[in-house]
């Protein structure tokens, strides 16, 4: 897929206020600092599309971007911020669950995890939660340039082991580096293929 156009549309706290659900939607989420903004900017080839470092704890928003007038890219507020109050966390949980349940055009969630770390409980909890809700998702390992390919293999194997404890089928996984532009074609091709499937179903 060639990105001809990527533009910011709107930010919302309410699912009802999001753009008309008439295009396939791909949402990106992960823990703070996982490299989400960098990945979105790398995919769209725009340096500042996803705002860097939205302050954790501040209003948490669902951010919509329109790509090639064909699909929505959504930047979701992340989880696992240490400094967020219990009430903000609860608010986040409610908003995100509502989004997953109600957003009818949601096609796939990209869960970003840092390739350097063994599976962390908040990530596993979140992934298992998506599975339980029946939300289609893939896992994106970020920052693979920071270590050897072998070390990334071992993180991925650890995730697979953990997920197999609960799930028969494993999600698709992508290795990425925003720094080295790795994984870009793989992710965009994946979106292209899924978009084609969605179109065939209509
Ligand atoms: P918040 O929105 O603040 O939660 O962070 P984020 O998940 O959007 O992460 P962001 O893209 O801002 O990146 C966090 C830090 O990791 C920055 O210093 C980035 O330069 C760095 N970073 C992100 N992706 C990569 C990568 O692929 N390789 C390397 N080496 N550094 C990366
Ligand atoms: Mg960010």
């Amino acid at each position: 897929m060639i990105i001809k156009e990527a533009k910011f549309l709107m930010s919302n706290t309410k699912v009802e206020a999001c753009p008309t659900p008439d295009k396939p939607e791909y949402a990106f989420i992960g823990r703070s600092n996982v490299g989400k903004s960098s990945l979105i900017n790398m995919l769209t080839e725009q340096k500042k599309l996803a705002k860097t470092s939205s302050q954790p704890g501040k209003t948490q928003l669902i951010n919509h971007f329109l790509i090639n007038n064909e699909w929505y890219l959504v930047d979701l507020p992340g989880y696992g911020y240490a400094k967020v109050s219990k009430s903000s966390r609860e608010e986040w949980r409610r908003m995100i669950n509502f989004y997953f349940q109600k957003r009818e055009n949601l096609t796939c969630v990209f869960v970003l995890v840092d390739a350097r770390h063994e599976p962390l409980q908040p990530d596993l909890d979140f992934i298992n939660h998506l599975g339980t809700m029946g939300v289609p998702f893939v896992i994106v390992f970020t920052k693979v340039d920071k270590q050897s390919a072998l070390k990334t293999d071992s993180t991925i194997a650890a995730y697979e082991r953990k997920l197999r404890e609960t799930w028969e089928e494993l999600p698709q996984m992508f290795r990425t580096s925003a720094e080295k532009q790795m994984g870009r074609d793989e992710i965009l091709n994946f979106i292209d293929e899924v978009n084609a499937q969605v179109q065939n179903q209509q």
Side-chain angles (χ1 to χ4, degrees), residues 11-195:
S11 297
N12 291 293
T13 53
K14 290 200 167 61
V15 177
E16 303 81 35
C18 289
T20 315
D22 57 356
K23 296 177 179 63
E25 181 153 312
Y26 298 84
F28 291 74
I29 195 164
R31 285 161 70 86
S32 174
N33 209 42
V34 71
K36 186 163 52 94
S37 300
S38 305
L39 183 84
I40 291 173
N41 293 339
M42 186 263 271
L43 291 176
T44 56
E45 283 182 321
Q46 294 204 14
K47 285 202 172 72
K48 288 182 186 161
L49 193 66
K51 291 175 201 89
T52 40
S53 286
S54 51
Q55 285 271 315
K58 292 222 170 154
T59 316
Q60 300 188 326
L61 298 165
I62 301 168
N63 304 293
H64 271 83
F65 301 87
L66 178 62
I67 314 295
N68 291 351
N69 207 23
E70 190 190 357
W71 54 280
Y72 293 121
L73 184 158
V74 173
D75 185 357
L76 290 174
Y79 50 94
Y81 296 111
K83 288 188 188 128
V84 164
S85 67
K86 212 173 158 188
S87 65
S88 301
R89 209 171 299 219
E90 182 54 29
E91 215 172 288
W92 173 86
R93 205 185 56 78
R94 221 176 309 148
M95 180 176 83
I96 290 290
N97 279 341
F98 203 67
Y99 170 80
F100 289 144
Q101 285 159 7
K102 299 285 178 200
R103 191 67 180 156
E104 61 204 77
N105 60 328
L106 178 61
T107 305
C108 185
V109 176
F110 289 84
V111 182
L112 275 59
V113 297
D114 193 317
R116 292 171 299 172
H117 307 309
E118 293 285 292
L120 300 169
Q121 203 53 48
D123 292 313
L124 290 170
D125 289 346
F126 184 73
I127 288 167
N128 286 328
H129 183 56
L130 284 176
T132 306
M133 284 195 299
V135 176
F137 67 93
V138 297
I139 300 180
V140 175
F141 292 90
T142 64
K143 309 189 188 184
V144 301
D145 61 282
K146 284 186 177 257
Q147 64 186 8
S148 70
L150 276 177
K151 182 70 197 6
T152 299
D153 288 345
S154 117
T155 304
I156 293 178
Y159 266 88
E160 289 179 346
R161 266 197 310 278
K162 277 283 181 193
L163 292 178
R164 278 216 184 85
E165 288 173 10
T166 319
W167 306 98
E168 255 172 47
E169 224 180 300
L170 292 178
Q172 200 159 330
M173 302 188 184
F174 295 94
R175 298 158 181 258
T176 67
S177 160
E179 194 76 20
K180 299 265 188 263
Q181 303 265 306
M182 261 184 70
R184 183 173 186 273
D185 290 348
E186 289 79 359
I187 290 180
L188 292 179
N189 286 343
F190 169 79
I191 293 174
D192 234 358
E193 281 166 22
V194 179
N195 280 343

